[in-house]
Amino acid sequence: MNSTAVRSVGTPSTRLFGLLAIACMTWVVVGGLFFTPADLNQGESVRIMYVHVPTAWVAYLAFIVTGVASAMFMFGKKHSLGFDRVAGASAEVGLMFMAITLISGSLWGRLTWGTFWEWDPRLTTTAFLFVTYLGYMAVRGLGGSPQQRARRSAVVAMLAVLEIPLVHFSVVMWRSLHQRASVLSTDGDIKMDGLMLTTLFVGVIGFTCTFAWLVSHRQRVMAMRDILLATQLDSALNERIAEGSQS
Amino acid sequence: MDLTPRTSADNAPLAPRKRKTKWGYVAVLVLIVVGGGVIVSRFLTSAIDYYCNVDEIGVREGCEADRRIRVQGTVEEGSLAADSGTTNFIMIYNNKELAVTYAGDPGGIFQECIPVVVHGRLTGKVFEANRIEVKHSNEYVADNAQRIDDAESQACSPIAG
Protein backbone atom coordinates (compact mmCIF):
# COMPACT_ATOMS: atom_id res chain seq x y z
CA MET A 1 0.00 0.00 0.00
CA ASN A 2 1.28 3.44 -0.87
CA SER A 3 2.19 5.18 2.40
CA THR A 4 1.35 8.62 1.03
CA ALA A 5 -2.15 7.65 -0.04
CA VAL A 6 -4.90 9.54 1.77
CA ARG A 7 -7.76 7.33 2.83
CA SER A 8 -11.17 8.93 2.67
CA VAL A 9 -13.42 8.66 5.72
CA GLY A 10 -16.50 9.29 3.61
CA THR A 11 -18.95 6.54 2.67
CA PRO A 12 -22.10 6.54 0.53
CA SER A 13 -24.20 6.92 3.70
CA THR A 14 -22.22 9.88 5.03
CA ARG A 15 -22.45 11.55 1.63
CA LEU A 16 -26.21 11.00 1.63
CA PHE A 17 -26.49 12.48 5.13
CA GLY A 18 -24.34 15.40 4.05
CA LEU A 19 -26.41 16.17 0.97
CA LEU A 20 -29.69 15.87 2.90
CA ALA A 21 -28.31 18.16 5.59
CA ILE A 22 -27.32 20.80 3.02
CA ALA A 23 -30.74 20.64 1.32
CA CYS A 24 -32.68 20.88 4.59
CA MET A 25 -30.48 23.63 6.00
CA THR A 26 -30.96 25.65 2.83
CA TRP A 27 -34.74 25.37 3.31
CA VAL A 28 -34.44 26.36 6.98
CA VAL A 29 -32.29 29.42 6.27
CA VAL A 30 -34.32 30.67 3.31
CA GLY A 31 -37.73 29.65 4.65
CA GLY A 32 -36.98 30.63 8.23
CA LEU A 33 -35.67 34.06 7.35
CA PHE A 34 -37.83 35.05 4.39
CA PHE A 35 -40.96 32.92 3.89
CA THR A 36 -42.29 31.97 7.31
CA PRO A 37 -44.47 34.60 8.96
CA ALA A 38 -43.61 36.56 12.07
CA ASP A 39 -45.47 35.52 15.23
CA LEU A 40 -48.46 37.51 16.43
CA ASN A 41 -46.93 38.12 19.87
CA GLN A 42 -43.23 37.46 19.48
CA GLY A 43 -42.76 39.14 16.12
CA GLU A 44 -39.55 38.40 14.19
CA SER A 45 -37.82 36.80 17.18
CA VAL A 46 -39.81 33.62 16.60
CA ARG A 47 -37.33 32.76 13.80
CA ILE A 48 -34.81 31.71 16.46
CA MET A 49 -37.13 28.75 17.06
CA TYR A 50 -35.97 27.09 13.80
CA VAL A 51 -32.50 26.68 15.33
CA HIS A 52 -33.30 26.46 19.04
CA VAL A 53 -35.87 23.64 18.96
CA PRO A 54 -34.14 21.30 16.45
CA THR A 55 -30.77 21.61 18.20
CA ALA A 56 -32.42 20.79 21.53
CA TRP A 57 -34.11 17.70 20.05
CA VAL A 58 -30.89 16.56 18.37
CA ALA A 59 -28.94 17.08 21.61
CA TYR A 60 -31.45 14.80 23.37
CA LEU A 61 -31.09 12.28 20.54
CA ALA A 62 -27.28 12.45 20.76
CA PHE A 63 -27.28 11.77 24.48
CA ILE A 64 -29.76 8.91 24.07
CA VAL A 65 -27.49 7.41 21.38
CA THR A 66 -24.58 7.76 23.81
CA GLY A 67 -26.56 5.98 26.53
CA VAL A 68 -27.74 3.15 24.26
CA ALA A 69 -24.28 2.63 22.72
CA SER A 70 -22.77 2.59 26.21
CA ALA A 71 -25.28 -0.01 27.36
CA MET A 72 -24.51 -2.12 24.28
CA PHE A 73 -20.82 -1.93 25.14
CA MET A 74 -21.36 -2.84 28.80
CA PHE A 75 -23.91 -5.59 28.33
CA GLY A 76 -22.84 -6.90 24.93
CA LYS A 77 -20.93 -10.21 24.91
CA LYS A 78 -17.97 -8.83 22.94
CA HIS A 79 -17.68 -5.46 24.71
CA SER A 80 -16.97 -3.96 21.31
CA LEU A 81 -15.07 -0.68 21.38
CA GLY A 82 -17.02 0.35 18.30
CA PHE A 83 -20.00 1.08 20.58
CA ASP A 84 -17.78 3.11 22.88
CA ARG A 85 -16.54 5.22 19.99
CA VAL A 86 -20.10 5.87 18.79
CA ALA A 87 -21.02 6.84 22.36
CA GLY A 88 -18.10 9.25 22.63
CA ALA A 89 -18.62 10.78 19.20
CA SER A 90 -22.34 11.23 19.83
CA ALA A 91 -21.72 12.92 23.18
CA GLU A 92 -19.23 15.34 21.62
CA VAL A 93 -21.63 16.32 18.87
CA GLY A 94 -24.53 16.44 21.33
CA LEU A 95 -22.62 18.87 23.52
CA MET A 96 -22.08 21.13 20.53
CA PHE A 97 -25.82 21.10 19.75
CA MET A 98 -26.71 21.67 23.41
CA ALA A 99 -24.38 24.68 23.48
CA ILE A 100 -26.18 26.07 20.42
CA THR A 101 -29.51 25.42 22.20
CA LEU A 102 -28.39 27.33 25.28
CA ILE A 103 -26.99 30.28 23.32
CA SER A 104 -29.96 30.58 20.95
CA GLY A 105 -32.38 30.15 23.85
CA SER A 106 -30.63 32.87 25.77
CA LEU A 107 -30.95 35.27 22.84
CA TRP A 108 -34.59 34.31 22.33
CA GLY A 109 -35.25 34.77 26.04
CA ARG A 110 -33.80 38.27 25.98
CA LEU A 111 -36.14 39.23 23.14
CA THR A 112 -39.32 37.69 24.55
CA TRP A 113 -39.00 37.30 28.33
CA GLY A 114 -36.72 40.30 28.70
CA THR A 115 -33.83 38.37 30.25
CA PHE A 116 -30.93 36.28 28.97
CA TRP A 117 -31.10 33.76 31.79
CA GLU A 118 -33.24 32.77 34.73
CA TRP A 119 -32.76 29.84 37.11
CA ASP A 120 -36.15 28.40 36.28
CA PRO A 121 -36.69 24.60 36.14
CA ARG A 122 -36.16 24.14 32.38
CA LEU A 123 -33.10 26.35 32.09
CA THR A 124 -31.53 24.96 35.23
CA THR A 125 -32.03 21.30 34.30
CA THR A 126 -30.72 22.00 30.77
CA ALA A 127 -27.60 23.65 32.17
CA PHE A 128 -27.19 20.68 34.51
CA LEU A 129 -27.48 18.27 31.56
CA PHE A 130 -24.83 20.24 29.67
CA VAL A 131 -22.43 20.18 32.62
CA THR A 132 -23.06 16.45 33.13
CA TYR A 133 -21.93 15.69 29.58
CA LEU A 134 -18.93 17.96 29.99
CA GLY A 135 -18.12 15.70 32.93
CA TYR A 136 -18.67 12.67 30.72
CA MET A 137 -16.10 14.03 28.25
CA ALA A 138 -13.69 14.62 31.14
CA VAL A 139 -14.13 10.99 32.24
CA ARG A 140 -13.35 9.87 28.70
CA GLY A 141 -10.11 11.82 28.86
CA LEU A 142 -8.91 10.29 32.12
CA GLY A 143 -6.48 7.97 30.37
CA GLY A 144 -5.93 4.24 30.62
CA SER A 145 -6.54 1.63 27.98
CA PRO A 146 -9.44 1.97 25.51
CA GLN A 147 -11.30 -0.76 27.44
CA GLN A 148 -10.86 1.07 30.75
CA ARG A 149 -11.98 4.32 29.14
CA ALA A 150 -15.01 2.61 27.64
CA ARG A 151 -16.10 0.97 30.92
CA ARG A 152 -15.78 4.14 33.00
CA SER A 153 -17.51 6.37 30.55
CA ALA A 154 -20.29 3.85 29.85
CA VAL A 155 -21.32 3.90 33.52
CA VAL A 156 -21.48 7.71 33.49
CA ALA A 157 -23.40 7.75 30.20
CA MET A 158 -26.02 5.28 31.40
CA LEU A 159 -26.69 7.43 34.47
CA ALA A 160 -26.55 10.76 32.64
CA VAL A 161 -29.17 9.76 30.06
CA LEU A 162 -31.72 9.54 32.89
CA GLU A 163 -31.63 13.33 33.15
CA ILE A 164 -33.28 13.79 29.76
CA PRO A 165 -36.87 13.02 30.90
CA LEU A 166 -36.29 15.38 33.82
CA VAL A 167 -35.29 18.18 31.42
CA HIS A 168 -38.10 17.53 28.96
CA PHE A 169 -40.87 17.26 31.55
CA SER A 170 -39.53 20.00 33.84
CA VAL A 171 -42.03 22.43 32.31
CA VAL A 172 -44.87 20.02 33.13
CA MET A 173 -43.71 18.95 36.60
CA TRP A 174 -42.95 22.49 37.80
CA ARG A 175 -43.98 26.03 36.97
CA SER A 176 -41.43 27.40 34.58
CA LEU A 177 -40.85 30.65 32.73
CA HIS A 178 -40.13 28.50 29.70
CA GLN A 179 -43.21 27.65 27.67
CA ARG A 180 -44.48 24.09 27.44
CA ALA A 181 -43.83 21.92 24.40
CA SER A 182 -45.74 22.96 21.29
CA VAL A 183 -45.22 19.86 19.14
CA LEU A 184 -44.43 17.09 21.62
CA SER A 185 -47.15 18.23 24.00
CA THR A 186 -48.97 15.69 26.12
CA ASP A 187 -52.40 16.68 24.76
CA GLY A 188 -51.26 16.03 21.16
CA ASP A 189 -52.63 19.38 19.99
CA ILE A 190 -50.04 21.25 17.89
CA LYS A 191 -50.53 24.99 18.27
CA MET A 192 -48.43 26.29 15.41
CA ASP A 193 -48.90 27.93 12.02
CA GLY A 194 -48.55 25.41 9.15
CA LEU A 195 -45.52 26.94 7.41
CA MET A 196 -43.77 27.47 10.75
CA LEU A 197 -44.37 23.81 11.64
CA THR A 198 -43.13 22.58 8.24
CA THR A 199 -39.94 24.64 8.51
CA LEU A 200 -39.43 23.37 12.05
CA PHE A 201 -39.74 19.76 10.90
CA VAL A 202 -37.34 20.34 7.99
CA GLY A 203 -34.96 21.85 10.53
CA VAL A 204 -35.21 18.76 12.71
CA ILE A 205 -34.42 16.52 9.71
CA GLY A 206 -31.55 18.79 8.64
CA PHE A 207 -29.95 18.96 12.08
CA THR A 208 -30.44 15.20 12.55
CA CYS A 209 -28.66 14.52 9.25
CA THR A 210 -25.89 16.89 10.31
CA PHE A 211 -25.63 14.98 13.58
CA ALA A 212 -25.43 11.62 11.78
CA TRP A 213 -22.81 12.98 9.36
CA LEU A 214 -20.65 14.38 12.15
CA VAL A 215 -20.91 11.28 14.34
CA SER A 216 -20.08 8.95 11.43
CA HIS A 217 -16.91 10.86 10.69
CA ARG A 218 -15.95 11.47 14.29
CA GLN A 219 -16.24 7.83 15.39
CA ARG A 220 -14.11 6.82 12.40
CA VAL A 221 -11.43 9.31 13.41
CA MET A 222 -11.59 7.90 16.96
CA ALA A 223 -11.15 4.38 15.56
CA MET A 224 -8.07 5.54 13.67
CA ARG A 225 -6.69 7.05 16.87
CA ASP A 226 -7.19 3.74 18.71
CA ILE A 227 -5.46 1.89 15.86
CA LEU A 228 -2.59 4.38 16.04
CA LEU A 229 -2.31 3.82 19.79
CA ALA A 230 -2.21 0.05 19.28
CA THR A 231 0.41 0.43 16.56
CA GLN A 232 2.57 2.56 18.82
CA LEU A 233 2.23 -0.07 21.54
CA ASP A 234 3.30 -2.80 19.12
CA SER A 235 6.33 -0.85 17.95
CA ALA A 236 7.29 0.00 21.54
CA LEU A 237 7.05 -3.68 22.45
CA ASN A 238 9.18 -4.66 19.48
CA GLU A 239 11.81 -2.11 20.48
CA ARG A 240 11.81 -3.49 24.01
CA ILE A 241 12.18 -7.05 22.74
CA ALA A 242 15.04 -5.95 20.51
CA GLU A 243 16.78 -4.29 23.47
CA GLY A 244 16.35 -7.46 25.52
CA SER A 245 17.82 -9.70 22.82
CA GLN A 246 20.90 -7.45 22.46
CA SER A 247 21.76 -7.51 26.18
CA MET B 1 4.92 4.55 26.91
CA ASP B 2 6.15 2.74 30.02
CA LEU B 3 7.14 -0.80 29.20
CA THR B 4 9.28 -1.44 32.27
CA PRO B 5 9.35 -5.20 33.00
CA ARG B 6 7.02 -6.30 35.78
CA THR B 7 8.33 -7.39 39.15
CA SER B 8 7.86 -10.98 40.29
CA ALA B 9 4.84 -9.97 42.38
CA ASP B 10 3.20 -8.47 39.32
CA ASN B 11 3.84 -11.67 37.40
CA ALA B 12 1.96 -13.84 39.88
CA PRO B 13 -0.88 -15.64 38.13
CA LEU B 14 -4.17 -13.91 38.57
CA ALA B 15 -6.95 -15.79 40.29
CA PRO B 16 -9.91 -16.40 38.00
CA ARG B 17 -12.44 -13.62 38.54
CA LYS B 18 -15.89 -14.55 39.58
CA ARG B 19 -18.54 -13.11 37.36
CA LYS B 20 -20.92 -11.27 39.64
CA THR B 21 -24.49 -10.83 38.72
CA LYS B 22 -25.38 -7.24 37.77
CA TRP B 23 -29.00 -7.45 38.86
CA GLY B 24 -28.22 -6.18 42.35
CA TYR B 25 -26.67 -3.04 40.93
CA VAL B 26 -29.59 -2.60 38.55
CA ALA B 27 -32.06 -2.87 41.44
CA VAL B 28 -30.13 -0.29 43.48
CA LEU B 29 -30.01 2.02 40.47
CA VAL B 30 -33.74 1.68 39.86
CA LEU B 31 -34.42 2.41 43.56
CA ILE B 32 -32.24 5.53 43.44
CA VAL B 33 -33.91 6.79 40.27
CA VAL B 34 -37.46 6.12 41.48
CA GLY B 35 -36.72 7.51 44.94
CA GLY B 36 -35.06 10.59 43.52
CA GLY B 37 -37.94 11.12 41.12
CA VAL B 38 -40.52 10.91 43.92
CA ILE B 39 -38.57 13.32 46.13
CA VAL B 40 -38.06 15.85 43.34
CA SER B 41 -41.59 15.69 41.93
CA ARG B 42 -43.58 15.43 45.18
CA PHE B 43 -41.65 17.15 47.92
CA LEU B 44 -39.56 19.84 46.25
CA THR B 45 -42.30 21.27 44.04
CA SER B 46 -42.85 24.47 46.02
CA ALA B 47 -39.10 25.10 46.15
CA ILE B 48 -38.52 24.53 42.45
CA ASP B 49 -41.63 26.26 41.10
CA TYR B 50 -40.56 29.52 39.50
CA TYR B 51 -43.60 31.58 40.50
CA CYS B 52 -46.80 31.84 42.51
CA ASN B 53 -50.09 32.65 40.83
CA VAL B 54 -51.96 35.80 41.78
CA ASP B 55 -54.60 33.85 43.70
CA GLU B 56 -51.97 32.04 45.79
CA ILE B 57 -50.43 35.07 47.50
CA GLY B 58 -50.69 34.54 51.25
CA VAL B 59 -52.32 31.17 50.70
CA ARG B 60 -49.71 28.79 49.33
CA GLU B 61 -46.47 27.84 51.04
CA GLY B 62 -43.64 29.93 49.62
CA CYS B 63 -46.05 32.67 48.48
CA GLU B 64 -46.19 34.63 51.73
CA ALA B 65 -47.22 38.27 51.29
CA ASP B 66 -44.43 39.62 53.51
CA ARG B 67 -41.52 38.35 51.42
CA ARG B 68 -40.07 38.95 47.99
CA ILE B 69 -41.85 36.71 45.51
CA ARG B 70 -42.45 36.12 41.81
CA VAL B 71 -46.08 36.30 40.73
CA GLN B 72 -47.68 35.13 37.51
CA GLY B 73 -50.86 36.42 35.94
CA THR B 74 -52.26 38.00 32.80
CA VAL B 75 -52.15 41.77 32.21
CA GLU B 76 -55.80 42.78 32.33
CA GLU B 77 -57.21 44.45 29.25
CA GLY B 78 -57.57 48.23 29.63
CA SER B 79 -55.56 48.35 32.87
CA LEU B 80 -52.16 49.29 31.44
CA ALA B 81 -51.17 52.90 32.12
CA ALA B 82 -47.84 54.71 31.97
CA ASP B 83 -47.43 57.69 34.28
CA SER B 84 -44.22 59.76 34.47
CA GLY B 85 -41.90 56.83 33.94
CA THR B 86 -43.94 54.38 35.99
CA THR B 87 -45.93 51.53 34.49
CA ASN B 88 -49.11 50.51 36.30
CA PHE B 89 -51.35 47.61 35.43
CA ILE B 90 -53.56 44.95 36.94
CA MET B 91 -52.68 41.27 36.81
CA ILE B 92 -55.45 38.72 36.92
CA TYR B 93 -55.49 34.97 37.52
CA ASN B 94 -58.43 32.77 38.50
CA ASN B 95 -60.58 35.92 38.90
CA LYS B 96 -58.18 37.33 41.53
CA GLU B 97 -56.68 40.72 40.72
CA LEU B 98 -53.40 42.29 41.77
CA ALA B 99 -52.40 45.91 41.16
CA VAL B 100 -48.80 46.18 40.01
CA THR B 101 -46.53 49.20 39.77
CA TYR B 102 -43.18 49.13 38.02
CA ALA B 103 -40.68 51.97 37.83
CA GLY B 104 -39.82 52.01 34.15
CA ASP B 105 -40.93 50.67 30.80
CA PRO B 106 -41.02 46.84 30.64
CA GLY B 107 -40.21 46.98 26.92
CA GLY B 108 -40.00 43.92 24.66
CA ILE B 109 -43.30 42.30 23.82
CA PHE B 110 -44.97 43.38 27.08
CA GLN B 111 -48.59 44.31 26.39
CA GLU B 112 -52.12 43.79 27.64
CA CYS B 113 -53.63 40.30 27.60
CA ILE B 114 -50.24 38.61 27.88
CA PRO B 115 -49.08 36.40 30.77
CA VAL B 116 -46.23 37.90 32.76
CA VAL B 117 -44.12 37.07 35.80
CA VAL B 118 -43.35 40.02 38.08
CA HIS B 119 -40.60 40.02 40.72
CA GLY B 120 -41.01 42.17 43.80
CA ARG B 121 -42.82 42.65 47.07
CA LEU B 122 -46.39 43.37 48.12
CA THR B 123 -46.71 46.77 49.80
CA GLY B 124 -50.21 47.25 51.13
CA LYS B 125 -52.46 46.22 48.28
CA VAL B 126 -50.03 47.13 45.51
CA PHE B 127 -47.29 44.86 44.25
CA GLU B 128 -44.10 46.87 43.73
CA ALA B 129 -42.22 45.11 40.94
CA ASN B 130 -38.61 45.70 40.04
CA ARG B 131 -38.55 43.16 37.25
CA ILE B 132 -41.07 42.00 34.68
CA GLU B 133 -40.74 38.97 32.44
CA VAL B 134 -43.15 38.09 29.67
CA LYS B 135 -44.24 34.46 29.83
CA HIS B 136 -45.24 33.74 26.27
CA SER B 137 -47.44 30.76 25.52
CA ASN B 138 -46.62 27.70 23.40
CA GLU B 139 -48.90 28.93 20.61
CA TYR B 140 -47.35 30.28 17.43
CA VAL B 141 -49.73 32.25 15.25
CA ALA B 142 -48.86 34.03 12.02
CA ASP B 143 -48.80 37.79 12.37
CA ASN B 144 -51.00 39.07 9.56
CA ALA B 145 -53.69 41.69 9.27
CA GLN B 146 -56.61 39.28 9.61
CA ARG B 147 -55.16 37.68 12.73
CA ILE B 148 -54.57 41.05 14.32
CA ASP B 149 -58.15 42.10 13.61
CA ASP B 150 -59.42 38.81 15.07
CA ALA B 151 -57.25 39.18 18.14
CA GLU B 152 -58.35 42.74 18.75
CA SER B 153 -61.99 41.83 18.43
CA GLN B 154 -61.68 39.04 20.98
CA ALA B 155 -61.83 39.57 24.71
CA CYS B 156 -58.64 39.23 26.70
CA SER B 157 -58.67 35.70 28.13
CA PRO B 158 -56.12 34.73 30.76
CA ILE B 159 -53.94 31.75 29.90
CA ALA B 160 -53.71 29.13 32.61
CA GLY B 161 -50.50 27.40 33.51
Side-chain angles (χ1 to χ4, degrees), chain A residues 70-107:
Chain A
S70 298
M72 290 175 84
F73 168 80
M74 283 294 276
F75 301 113
K77 283 183 181 172
K78 292 183 179 176
H79 298 293
S80 168
L81 282 174
F83 289 126
D84 171 65
R85 288 191 285 264
V86 170
S90 187
E92 281 183 19
V93 178
L95 263 174
M96 181 192 74
F97 280 114
M98 186 110 280
I100 296 171
T101 304
L102 288 168
I103 293 167
S104 59
S106 185
L107 295 172

Side-chain angles (χ1 to χ4, degrees), chain B residues 91-104:
Chain B
M91 273 170 66
I92 186 165
Y93 193 90
N94 274 349
N95 297 322
K96 281 273 186 180
E97 292 187 347
L98 176 68
V100 180
T101 182
Y102 173 72

